[in-house]
Amino acid sequence: MALLIPLVQKPIQPLIPFPSSIPNPFNLNQSKNRTQMCLHSHHFTRRTSLNLGATSFILLSEKTANAFDFRITVPDQTLEEAENGIQSHAKSLLQVKELLEAETWKEAQKALRKSSALLKQDIYTIIQAKPGKLRPELRKLYSILFNTVSRLDFAARDKDVPRVWEYYDNIVLALNNILSRL
């Protein structure tokens, strides 16, 4: 981020200067002025060149950021794989109950995140395969389920036992609701 600050503070100079009017090819003085203008407008300092080189290297590198996970928008799985895995992933989400009862909060959060991510991908793939008329209702149920999963995660982080059990019960209801409609 520190490399981009000097680029923001300094106005961007165009690489190819555009004259404000169309030059007259018969006017030699105007042609000389235009040539001089082109030669003087390409003034790059070492700092600007270094910043352009560094930012182009960063932007054009082949490595992707860890924060971007495009699997949810374009799943790498087929409908059959999602249908086969949805029951096992739903069971693993519900098995978080054992960790919550033992009040091993960190392990419960890790297991919750892992199982919910896999279940989320399965459900999303199945919803995308459904006819267009059924999708809005299923997306709403999907949203309710995984928003409740997030709330449970936060409650486990805060070690708030009453909220943890409230959200866990809501997850069980939401999961049964969405699985019965898929």
Side-chain angles (χ1 to χ4, degrees):
M1 190 67 186
L3 293 174
L4 297 177
I5 291 173
L7 290 177
V8 174
Q9 292 174 348
K10 203 173 183 185
I12 299 174
Q13 298 174 353
L15 296 177
I16 302 172
F18 294 103
S20 59
S21 64
I22 299 173
N24 184 353
F26 301 109
N27 187 349
L28 296 176
N29 289 333
Q30 191 174 8
S31 296
K32 285 182 185 177
N33 291 339
R34 183 171 172 216
T35 306
Q36 289 174 352
M37 184 180 72
C38 289
L39 291 175
H40 293 297
S41 66
H42 294 297
H43 177 68
F44 286 107
T45 61
R46 277 185 266 162
R47 177 189 287 172
T48 305
S49 300
L50 179 64
N51 286 335
L52 286 173
T55 53
S56 64
F57 175 75
I58 291 169
L59 294 175
L60 297 176
S61 67
E62 292 183 22
K63 293 181 181 178
T64 58
N66 292 334
F68 295 114
D69 186 9
F70 293 112
R71 285 181 294 156
I72 196 66
T73 56
V74 182
D76 293 336
Q77 68 184 132
T78 64
L79 179 62
E80 293 78 27
E81 291 172 338
E83 289 173 343
N84 293 337
I86 195 168
Q87 292 298 327
S88 64
H89 295 141
K91 286 179 185 177
S92 65
L93 178 65
L94 295 178
Q95 289 174 352
V96 173
K97 182 178 183 178
E98 297 168 3
L99 297 170
L100 295 173
E101 287 172 342
E103 294 187 3
T104 53
W105 304 115
K106 293 288 184 188
E107 289 80 15
Q109 284 181 291
K110 288 177 185 176
L112 180 70
R113 290 174 188 160
K114 182 179 179 183
S115 60
S116 68
L118 296 170
L119 182 64
K120 193 176 203 178
Q121 185 174 353
D122 290 340
I123 293 175
Y124 183 84
T125 303
I126 293 170
I127 289 174
Q128 288 303 102
K130 294 287 183 183
K133 293 179 182 179
L134 300 176
R135 288 185 199 164
E137 182 183 353
L138 292 172
R139 286 182 183 143
K140 185 176 180 182
L141 296 172
Y142 172 88
S143 175
I144 290 170
L145 173 63
F146 292 107
N147 285 339
T148 309
V149 168
S150 295
R151 289 185 186 112
L152 176 62
D153 188 14
F154 287 123
R157 181 194 65 190
D158 296 339
K159 300 174 186 172
D160 187 353
V161 177
R163 281 188 17 215
V164 164
W165 292 115
E166 175 189 348
Y167 293 139
Y168 181 80
D169 292 338
N170 290 343
I171 287 172
V172 172
L173 292 173
L175 190 58
N176 288 333
N177 195 6
I178 197 167
L179 289 178
S180 67
R181 297 187 187 194
L182 290 178

